[in-house]
Amino acid sequence: QRQMCIRDRRLTLRDGTEQIISRIADCIDAAIADGSLHSQPAHQTAGNLYQLWLGASLLTKLHRNAQPMNQAMTLTQNLLAR
């Protein structure tokens, strides 16, 4: 029973993250379509951005300063500007 509960939570988290990444990818695709963003692999870029911000939010809490979030913003801007 405990194993099943842990598995269910893991799958729920995995599916939730995939939904978020897909929504970010949809936004990237829309921006490419309207010309406001250069062409790039939307799903891969979305996954990279999600991971970047997830890590930055964790580090911000651990270090109790905004530097990781500021760095994530700079990297996001650079990634989308390429």
Side-chain angles (χ1 to χ4, degrees):
Q1 178 109 19
R2 185 173 172 348
Q3 282 276 355
M4 191 60 129
C5 186
I6 291 170
R7 181 179 174 272
D8 290 346
R9 278 190 234 150
R10 183 184 62 78
L11 293 176
T12 300
L13 286 169
R14 184 199 63 195
D15 293 347
T17 12
E18 270 306 311
Q19 289 176 8
I20 293 167
I21 291 169
S22 290
R23 287 181 183 184
I24 296 169
D26 290 346
C27 292
I28 292 170
D29 280 333
I32 292 168
D34 76 12
S36 59
L37 191 61
H38 66 284
S39 183
Q40 56 188 284
H43 198 271
Q44 179 183 343
T45 302
N48 290 339
L49 289 172
Y50 182 82
Q51 292 172 36
L52 170 66
W53 284 96
L54 186 64
S57 66
L58 175 63
L59 290 172
T60 294
K61 288 184 182 268
L62 291 174
H63 295 281
R64 294 187 175 190
N65 69 55
Q67 184 180 5
M69 297 298 266
N70 294 333
Q71 289 174 330
M73 179 56 82
T74 299
L75 287 169
T76 297
Q77 292 168 334
N78 291 339
L79 181 65
L80 295 178
R82 277 193 253 147

